[in-house]
Amino acid sequence: MEQFGWICLAGAAGTGARYLIATWAAQRLGAAFPYGTLIVNLSGCFAITLIMHAALTLAWPTALRSALTVGLLGGFTTYSSFDYETTKLMQEGAHLPAAVNVAVTVIGGLVAGWLGLVVARELVGP
């Protein structure tokens, strides 16, 4: 249960960091393009790979690794998890499952978003 608490606390910090970066990016770079989301996703991909390599190589405690990846980076961006898991599949030579994961996540995400919009419009109007 203690590990769960650390994950939740770190997740709150990650969420706050995402908000601050998105706000900063919109103010400095403009809101015409989602710069904040791009910055968060790319830095999250970098961070999760760095942390996981260090954690597995140096045998960090599971609670610390989980707090940093599931909590902090999970609150920061879930794209980093998608990237890490897909990269791991490719490193293991599982290229087809990696490609399927990319295709289903990207296309499925777009379809799910569109369906959510359709349902929302039916429920609350256009």
Side-chain angles (χ1 to χ4, degrees):
M1 202 58 168
E2 181 181 336
Q3 182 173 338
F4 177 72
W6 284 113
I7 289 170
C8 290
L9 186 61
T15 300
R18 179 179 63 219
Y19 171 78
L20 292 174
I21 289 171
T23 301
W24 174 85
Q27 291 171 348
R28 300 296 188 287
L29 305 172
F33 184 84
Y35 292 107
T37 300
L38 181 62
I39 292 166
V40 164
N41 285 340
L42 295 180
S43 62
C45 290
F46 173 83
I48 198 169
T49 304
L50 185 148
I51 289 168
M52 285 300 293
H53 179 76
L56 295 173
T57 301
L58 303 173
W60 291 1
T62 302
L64 175 61
R65 185 179 73 227
S66 294
L68 292 175
T69 57
V70 176
L72 182 68
L73 292 176
F76 191 60
T77 173
T78 57
Y79 183 84
S80 60
S81 297
F82 162 73
D83 174 76
Y84 176 75
E85 291 162 353
T86 305
T87 300
K88 190 168 189 261
L89 286 170
M90 290 188 299
Q91 287 176 329
E92 294 169 350
H95 299 287
L96 181 59
V100 168
N101 190 37
V102 170
V104 171
T105 299
V106 172
I107 295 168
L110 291 170
V111 169
W114 177 77
L115 289 173
L117 178 60
V118 169
V119 170
R121 286 180 173 170
E122 287 297 316
L123 293 174
V124 297

mmCIF file of all heavy atoms in Angstrom, residues 11 14-15 18 37 40-45 48 69-86 101 105:
data_model
loop_
_atom_site.group_PDB
_atom_site.id
_atom_site.type_symbol
_atom_site.label_atom_id
_atom_site.label_comp_id
_atom_site.label_asym_id
_atom_site.label_seq_id
_atom_site.Cartn_x
_atom_site.Cartn_y
_atom_site.Cartn_z
ATOM 1 N N GLY A 11 2.470 10.803 -9.284
ATOM 2 C CA GLY A 11 1.555 11.082 -10.396
ATOM 3 C C GLY A 11 1.008 12.497 -10.334
ATOM 4 O O GLY A 11 0.881 13.172 -11.364
ATOM 5 N N GLY A 14 3.718 14.747 -11.574
ATOM 6 C CA GLY A 14 3.839 14.661 -13.031
ATOM 7 C C GLY A 14 2.741 15.429 -13.739
ATOM 8 O O GLY A 14 2.970 16.114 -14.734
ATOM 9 N N THR A 15 1.525 15.322 -13.207
ATOM 10 C CA THR A 15 0.393 16.046 -13.790
ATOM 11 C C THR A 15 0.602 17.551 -13.675
ATOM 12 O O THR A 15 0.358 18.299 -14.625
ATOM 13 C CB THR A 15 -0.917 15.632 -13.085
ATOM 14 O OG1 THR A 15 -1.086 14.231 -13.267
ATOM 15 C CG2 THR A 15 -2.115 16.373 -13.644
ATOM 16 N N ARG A 18 3.183 18.628 -16.194
ATOM 17 C CA ARG A 18 2.608 18.691 -17.545
ATOM 18 C C ARG A 18 1.823 19.987 -17.739
ATOM 19 O O ARG A 18 1.944 20.659 -18.768
ATOM 20 C CB ARG A 18 1.709 17.478 -17.805
ATOM 21 C CG ARG A 18 1.072 17.525 -19.193
ATOM 22 C CD ARG A 18 0.207 16.323 -19.483
ATOM 23 N NE ARG A 18 -0.922 16.273 -18.567
ATOM 24 C CZ ARG A 18 -1.407 15.164 -18.029
ATOM 25 N NH1 ARG A 18 -0.861 14.004 -18.307
ATOM 26 N NH2 ARG A 18 -2.430 15.206 -17.226
ATOM 27 N N THR A 37 2.245 19.738 -25.492
ATOM 28 C CA THR A 37 2.057 18.285 -25.569
ATOM 29 C C THR A 37 3.257 17.631 -26.245
ATOM 30 O O THR A 37 3.741 16.587 -25.797
ATOM 31 C CB THR A 37 0.767 17.953 -26.343
ATOM 32 O OG1 THR A 37 -0.336 18.538 -25.651
ATOM 33 C CG2 THR A 37 0.559 16.458 -26.464
ATOM 34 N N VAL A 40 6.180 17.637 -23.777
ATOM 35 C CA VAL A 40 5.938 16.647 -22.725
ATOM 36 C C VAL A 40 6.134 15.235 -23.258
ATOM 37 O O VAL A 40 6.803 14.407 -22.625
ATOM 38 C CB VAL A 40 4.525 16.841 -22.134
ATOM 39 C CG1 VAL A 40 4.081 15.635 -21.351
ATOM 40 C CG2 VAL A 40 4.486 18.091 -21.268
ATOM 41 N N ASN A 41 5.573 14.926 -24.412
ATOM 42 C CA ASN A 41 5.689 13.576 -24.951
ATOM 43 C C ASN A 41 7.131 13.206 -25.280
ATOM 44 O O ASN A 41 7.590 12.113 -24.955
ATOM 45 C CB ASN A 41 4.804 13.405 -26.181
ATOM 46 C CG ASN A 41 3.350 13.288 -25.824
ATOM 47 O OD1 ASN A 41 2.993 12.972 -24.691
ATOM 48 N ND2 ASN A 41 2.489 13.537 -26.789
ATOM 49 N N LEU A 42 7.856 14.101 -25.923
ATOM 50 C CA LEU A 42 9.240 13.794 -26.285
ATOM 51 C C LEU A 42 10.129 13.696 -25.054
ATOM 52 O O LEU A 42 10.952 12.774 -24.943
ATOM 53 C CB LEU A 42 9.778 14.836 -27.266
ATOM 54 C CG LEU A 42 9.095 14.875 -28.629
ATOM 55 C CD1 LEU A 42 9.711 15.952 -29.508
ATOM 56 C CD2 LEU A 42 9.131 13.522 -29.312
ATOM 57 N N SER A 43 9.986 14.612 -24.114
ATOM 58 C CA SER A 43 10.813 14.547 -22.908
ATOM 59 C C SER A 43 10.430 13.346 -22.048
ATOM 60 O O SER A 43 11.283 12.730 -21.403
ATOM 61 C CB SER A 43 10.739 15.849 -22.117
ATOM 62 O OG SER A 43 9.425 16.103 -21.667
ATOM 63 N N GLY A 44 9.155 12.976 -22.059
ATOM 64 C CA GLY A 44 8.727 11.788 -21.324
ATOM 65 C C GLY A 44 9.319 10.516 -21.905
ATOM 66 O O GLY A 44 9.724 9.615 -21.167
ATOM 67 N N CYS A 45 9.384 10.429 -23.237
ATOM 68 C CA CYS A 45 10.000 9.269 -23.889
ATOM 69 C C CYS A 45 11.477 9.169 -23.526
ATOM 70 O O CYS A 45 11.992 8.088 -23.230
ATOM 71 C CB CYS A 45 9.851 9.362 -25.409
ATOM 72 S SG CYS A 45 8.158 9.134 -25.962
ATOM 73 N N ILE A 48 11.666 8.172 -19.596
ATOM 74 C CA ILE A 48 11.309 6.804 -19.196
ATOM 75 C C ILE A 48 12.373 5.806 -19.621
ATOM 76 O O ILE A 48 12.687 4.865 -18.884
ATOM 77 C CB ILE A 48 9.911 6.386 -19.693
ATOM 78 C CG1 ILE A 48 9.418 5.175 -18.884
ATOM 79 C CG2 ILE A 48 9.906 6.108 -21.183
ATOM 80 C CD1 ILE A 48 7.970 4.834 -19.100
ATOM 81 N N THR A 69 8.262 5.955 -12.855
ATOM 82 C CA THR A 69 7.728 5.665 -14.187
ATOM 83 C C THR A 69 6.202 5.660 -14.204
ATOM 84 O O THR A 69 5.588 6.419 -14.936
ATOM 85 C CB THR A 69 8.276 4.336 -14.722
ATOM 86 O OG1 THR A 69 7.969 3.281 -13.817
ATOM 87 C CG2 THR A 69 9.780 4.414 -14.936
ATOM 88 N N VAL A 70 5.593 4.801 -13.403
ATOM 89 C CA VAL A 70 4.130 4.720 -13.377
ATOM 90 C C VAL A 70 3.541 6.004 -12.804
ATOM 91 O O VAL A 70 2.570 6.544 -13.332
ATOM 92 C CB VAL A 70 3.661 3.493 -12.557
ATOM 93 C CG1 VAL A 70 2.148 3.451 -12.446
ATOM 94 C CG2 VAL A 70 4.198 2.210 -13.159
ATOM 95 N N GLY A 71 4.143 6.506 -11.725
ATOM 96 C CA GLY A 71 3.622 7.703 -11.069
ATOM 97 C C GLY A 71 3.991 8.985 -11.787
ATOM 98 O O GLY A 71 3.166 9.583 -12.474
ATOM 99 N N LEU A 72 5.244 9.412 -11.632
ATOM 100 C CA LEU A 72 5.683 10.710 -12.168
ATOM 101 C C LEU A 72 5.473 10.807 -13.678
ATOM 102 O O LEU A 72 4.803 11.718 -14.160
ATOM 103 C CB LEU A 72 7.154 10.947 -11.825
ATOM 104 C CG LEU A 72 7.729 12.284 -12.287
ATOM 105 C CD1 LEU A 72 7.109 13.432 -11.503
ATOM 106 C CD2 LEU A 72 9.245 12.300 -12.146
ATOM 107 N N LEU A 73 6.031 9.855 -14.420
ATOM 108 C CA LEU A 73 5.906 9.931 -15.882
ATOM 109 C C LEU A 73 4.525 9.536 -16.367
ATOM 110 O O LEU A 73 4.078 10.015 -17.406
ATOM 111 C CB LEU A 73 6.993 9.084 -16.552
ATOM 112 C CG LEU A 73 8.404 9.625 -16.361
ATOM 113 C CD1 LEU A 73 9.422 8.677 -16.976
ATOM 114 C CD2 LEU A 73 8.557 11.025 -16.920
ATOM 115 N N GLY A 74 3.833 8.677 -15.611
ATOM 116 C CA GLY A 74 2.452 8.345 -15.959
ATOM 117 C C GLY A 74 1.544 9.556 -15.839
ATOM 118 O O GLY A 74 0.646 9.764 -16.657
ATOM 119 N N GLY A 75 1.790 10.379 -14.819
ATOM 120 C CA GLY A 75 1.042 11.630 -14.681
ATOM 121 C C GLY A 75 1.495 12.664 -15.695
ATOM 122 O O GLY A 75 0.723 13.499 -16.148
ATOM 123 N N PHE A 76 2.766 12.602 -16.039
ATOM 124 C CA PHE A 76 3.348 13.547 -16.988
ATOM 125 C C PHE A 76 2.864 13.256 -18.398
ATOM 126 O O PHE A 76 2.386 14.124 -19.103
ATOM 127 C CB PHE A 76 4.875 13.453 -16.902
ATOM 128 C CG PHE A 76 5.638 14.523 -17.615
ATOM 129 C CD1 PHE A 76 5.479 15.859 -17.285
ATOM 130 C CD2 PHE A 76 6.546 14.192 -18.592
ATOM 131 C CE1 PHE A 76 6.210 16.841 -17.938
ATOM 132 C CE2 PHE A 76 7.282 15.162 -19.247
ATOM 133 C CZ PHE A 76 7.108 16.488 -18.919
ATOM 134 N N THR A 77 2.980 12.002 -18.834
ATOM 135 C CA THR A 77 2.543 11.590 -20.165
ATOM 136 C C THR A 77 2.449 10.083 -20.246
ATOM 137 O O THR A 77 3.388 9.386 -19.907
ATOM 138 C CB THR A 77 3.503 12.067 -21.269
ATOM 139 O OG1 THR A 77 3.110 11.486 -22.507
ATOM 140 C CG2 THR A 77 4.942 11.731 -21.008
ATOM 141 N N THR A 78 1.321 9.566 -20.693
ATOM 142 C CA THR A 78 1.230 8.122 -20.894
ATOM 143 C C THR A 78 1.884 7.724 -22.213
ATOM 144 O O THR A 78 2.156 6.551 -22.436
ATOM 145 C CB THR A 78 -0.230 7.636 -20.887
ATOM 146 O OG1 THR A 78 -0.954 8.329 -21.899
ATOM 147 C CG2 THR A 78 -0.860 7.847 -19.545
ATOM 148 N N TYR A 79 2.165 8.678 -23.060
ATOM 149 C CA TYR A 79 2.829 8.355 -24.314
ATOM 150 C C TYR A 79 4.190 7.744 -24.055
ATOM 151 O O TYR A 79 4.641 6.885 -24.800
ATOM 152 C CB TYR A 79 2.967 9.605 -25.199
ATOM 153 C CG TYR A 79 3.596 9.281 -26.533
ATOM 154 C CD1 TYR A 79 2.810 8.799 -27.571
ATOM 155 C CD2 TYR A 79 4.950 9.411 -26.736
ATOM 156 C CE1 TYR A 79 3.373 8.465 -28.788
ATOM 157 C CE2 TYR A 79 5.531 9.062 -27.943
ATOM 158 C CZ TYR A 79 4.740 8.599 -28.970
ATOM 159 O OH TYR A 79 5.300 8.247 -30.162
ATOM 160 N N SER A 80 4.853 8.163 -22.974
ATOM 161 C CA SER A 80 6.176 7.615 -22.670
ATOM 162 C C SER A 80 6.094 6.109 -22.431
ATOM 163 O O SER A 80 6.978 5.367 -22.854
ATOM 164 C CB SER A 80 6.791 8.326 -21.466
ATOM 165 O OG SER A 80 5.977 8.181 -20.318
ATOM 166 N N SER A 81 5.052 5.638 -21.782
ATOM 167 C CA SER A 81 4.881 4.198 -21.565
ATOM 168 C C SER A 81 4.686 3.480 -22.895
ATOM 169 O O SER A 81 5.283 2.426 -23.146
ATOM 170 C CB SER A 81 3.676 3.922 -20.657
ATOM 171 O OG SER A 81 3.887 4.476 -19.392
ATOM 172 N N PHE A 82 3.845 4.025 -23.750
ATOM 173 C CA PHE A 82 3.623 3.465 -25.077
ATOM 174 C C PHE A 82 4.949 3.370 -25.836
ATOM 175 O O PHE A 82 5.271 2.341 -26.430
ATOM 176 C CB PHE A 82 2.613 4.338 -25.833
ATOM 177 C CG PHE A 82 2.609 4.140 -27.322
ATOM 178 C CD1 PHE A 82 2.078 2.994 -27.890
ATOM 179 C CD2 PHE A 82 3.131 5.114 -28.158
ATOM 180 C CE1 PHE A 82 2.077 2.816 -29.269
ATOM 181 C CE2 PHE A 82 3.136 4.946 -29.526
ATOM 182 C CZ PHE A 82 2.605 3.794 -30.081
ATOM 183 N N ASP A 83 5.738 4.436 -25.786
ATOM 184 C CA ASP A 83 7.023 4.460 -26.481
ATOM 185 C C ASP A 83 7.971 3.414 -25.919
ATOM 186 O O ASP A 83 8.583 2.650 -26.678
ATOM 187 C CB ASP A 83 7.655 5.854 -26.365
ATOM 188 C CG ASP A 83 9.040 5.889 -26.949
ATOM 189 O OD1 ASP A 83 9.161 5.905 -28.185
ATOM 190 O OD2 ASP A 83 10.013 5.878 -26.161
ATOM 191 N N TYR A 84 8.088 3.349 -24.604
ATOM 192 C CA TYR A 84 9.006 2.402 -23.981
ATOM 193 C C TYR A 84 8.615 0.967 -24.325
ATOM 194 O O TYR A 84 9.466 0.156 -24.704
ATOM 195 C CB TYR A 84 9.038 2.583 -22.462
ATOM 196 C CG TYR A 84 9.898 1.547 -21.780
ATOM 197 C CD1 TYR A 84 11.281 1.627 -21.835
ATOM 198 C CD2 TYR A 84 9.328 0.477 -21.119
ATOM 199 C CE1 TYR A 84 12.078 0.663 -21.238
ATOM 200 C CE2 TYR A 84 10.109 -0.494 -20.521
ATOM 201 C CZ TYR A 84 11.491 -0.392 -20.575
ATOM 202 O OH TYR A 84 12.262 -1.356 -19.988
ATOM 203 N N GLU A 85 7.336 0.639 -24.198
ATOM 204 C CA GLU A 85 6.884 -0.725 -24.448
ATOM 205 C C GLU A 85 7.067 -1.121 -25.909
ATOM 206 O O GLU A 85 7.457 -2.244 -26.221
ATOM 207 C CB GLU A 85 5.428 -0.879 -24.017
ATOM 208 C CG GLU A 85 5.284 -0.799 -22.504
ATOM 209 C CD GLU A 85 3.877 -0.511 -22.034
ATOM 210 O OE1 GLU A 85 2.987 -0.233 -22.875
ATOM 211 O OE2 GLU A 85 3.662 -0.580 -20.812
ATOM 212 N N THR A 86 6.827 -0.184 -26.826
ATOM 213 C CA THR A 86 7.008 -0.459 -28.252
ATOM 214 C C THR A 86 8.491 -0.609 -28.575
ATOM 215 O O THR A 86 8.888 -1.522 -29.312
ATOM 216 C CB THR A 86 6.374 0.654 -29.109
ATOM 217 O OG1 THR A 86 4.996 0.786 -28.734
ATOM 218 C CG2 THR A 86 6.463 0.337 -30.588
ATOM 219 N N ASN A 101 1.122 -2.708 -32.268
ATOM 220 C CA ASN A 101 0.886 -1.793 -31.145
ATOM 221 C C ASN A 101 0.806 -0.343 -31.618
ATOM 222 O O ASN A 101 -0.089 0.401 -31.217
ATOM 223 C CB ASN A 101 1.982 -1.954 -30.093
ATOM 224 C CG ASN A 101 1.668 -1.222 -28.816
ATOM 225 O OD1 ASN A 101 0.525 -1.162 -28.366
ATOM 226 N ND2 ASN A 101 2.692 -0.652 -28.216
ATOM 227 N N THR A 105 -2.767 1.550 -31.570
ATOM 228 C CA THR A 105 -2.806 2.697 -30.661
ATOM 229 C C THR A 105 -3.153 3.979 -31.406
ATOM 230 O O THR A 105 -4.033 4.728 -30.982
ATOM 231 C CB THR A 105 -1.461 2.850 -29.921
ATOM 232 O OG1 THR A 105 -1.224 1.668 -29.145
ATOM 233 C CG2 THR A 105 -1.471 4.062 -29.016
#
